[in-house]
Amino acid sequence: EPEVTQTPSHQVTQMGQEVILRCVPISNHLYFYWYRQILGQKVEFLVSFYNNEISEKSEIFDDQFSVERPDGSNFTLKIRSTKLEDSAMYFCASSEVRSSYEQYFGPGTRLTVT
Amino acid sequence: DQQVKQNSPSLSVQEGRISILNCDYTNSMFDYFLWYKKYPAEGPTFLISISSIKDKNEDGRFTVFLNKSAKHLSLHIVPSQPGDSAVYFCAAGSGNTGKLIFGQGTTLQVKP
């Protein structure tokens, strides 16, 4: 069964460093998303991406964040200068069509900023 | 952001019995609702969804009920199995944005 994959599973970085989180969505999906979950809190929407453009972004997704689909398979989330409060689980998701809302999530990357 | 709320942080049921997980929402513009299951160290797994034009959707042991007037949805699992033990999230979306708003989650424990 097709699945969303994410690498790395755990990333430890120092405050102020740049990190890139990688995702490989399901191959025939066209819509891509990033969510995050801070420990003990809700899963929060960050950004949606379609046709090489951001479709929507949340207030969390400020200038420190960017997304890219550098080739036909990968979808990345970059945090330019990490802060302690960026420590969270980051989930990538994809969907075949936007209107269905049936998004399939990857296993997540645990980001720890020290 | 309290648009989607799951007021019960945990639920414990006996194997073979019914599990009922509840979710309330405040935004009447939501037109699509989903339930996800999550195990530790894994991402949310899609379970079942319902459009706002329906009041019930069934898939095997899982049934989702939507009461729009009460802004309430529920997930019924019958019969419950120990493998169903996980955190269950309800989520909602509106328009055509794909953005999902999640509840806080309810931890279900099914005892053998």
Side-chain angles (χ1 to χ4, degrees):
Chain A
E1 187 174 325
E3 58 182 19
V4 177
T5 59
Q6 291 185 242
T7 55
S9 57
H10 191 189
Q11 173 93 47
V12 181
T13 189
Q14 289 193 324
M15 196 166 53
Q17 296 296 304
E18 174 183 287
V19 294
I20 298 176
L21 310 182
R22 291 181 167 80
C23 168
V24 178
I26 294 172
S27 61
N28 64 332
H29 285 187
L30 301 176
Y31 298 88
F32 314 113
Y33 313 87
W34 284 100
Y35 292 80
R36 78 173 186 190
Q37 185 180 27
I38 295 171
L39 189 64
Q41 297 187 24
K42 290 184 178 187
V43 175
E44 301 174 289
F45 170 82
L46 291 178
V47 67
S48 59
F49 189 86
Y50 168 71
N51 199 24
N52 282 319
E53 288 185 348
I54 290 175
S55 305
E56 184 170 356
K57 58 183 181 179
S58 72
E59 318 77 57
I60 303 167
F61 195 90
D62 61 22
D63 292 344
Q64 294 299 312
F65 291 85
S66 62
V67 289
E68 191 179 31
R69 188 155 163 82
D71 54 43
S73 60
N74 290 283
F75 180 50
T76 62
L77 174 69
K78 181 193 291 186
I79 309 175
R80 288 189 184 82
S81 178
T82 50
K83 306 182 186 72
L84 294 175
E85 54 265 37
D86 293 328
S87 295
M89 282 291 288
Y90 287 81
F91 295 107
C92 172
S94 68
S95 63
E96 191 172 0
V97 294
R98 187 165 50 186
S99 58
S100 76
Y101 286 101
E102 290 171 13
Q103 297 174 19
Y104 294 85
F105 283 73
T109 293
R110 177 166 297 286
L111 176 65
T112 302
V113 182
T114 61
Chain B
D1 186 344
Q2 295 294 309
Q3 295 187 70
V4 179
K5 292 176 73 171
Q6 294 173 256
N7 291 316
S8 298
S10 63
L11 174 68
S12 182
V13 300
Q14 210 65 36
E15 180 179 6
R17 307 295 290 270
I18 184 171
S19 295
I20 300 176
L21 298 114
N22 294 301
C23 180
D24 297 298
Y25 63 95
T26 57
N27 188 343
S28 57
M29 298 301 291
F30 288 142
D31 58 7
Y32 211 85
F33 304 89
L34 308 91
W35 284 94
Y36 283 85
K37 177 167 87 169
K38 187 180 181 302
Y39 294 116
E42 294 185 12
T45 301
F46 170 75
L47 270 179
I48 191 168
S49 62
I50 188 167
S51 163
S52 61
I53 62 173
K54 296 186 175 182
D55 54 19
K56 178 182 174 181
N57 189 25
E58 196 169 353
D59 184 1
R61 295 187 298 115
F62 301 93
T63 304
V64 56
F65 294 93
L66 175 62
N67 183 334
K68 281 185 294 185
S69 60
K71 293 191 176 69
H72 178 84
L73 65 154
S74 60
L75 175 67
H76 293 210
I77 306 173
V78 184
S80 301
Q81 300 172 353
D84 295 330
S85 298
V87 180
Y88 288 78
F89 293 96
C90 68
S94 63
N96 208 23
T97 68
K99 172 182 176 181
L100 293 178
I101 306 294
F102 281 80
Q104 307 94 311
T106 296
T107 301
L108 173 65
Q109 182 185 29
V110 180
K111 297 179 180 177

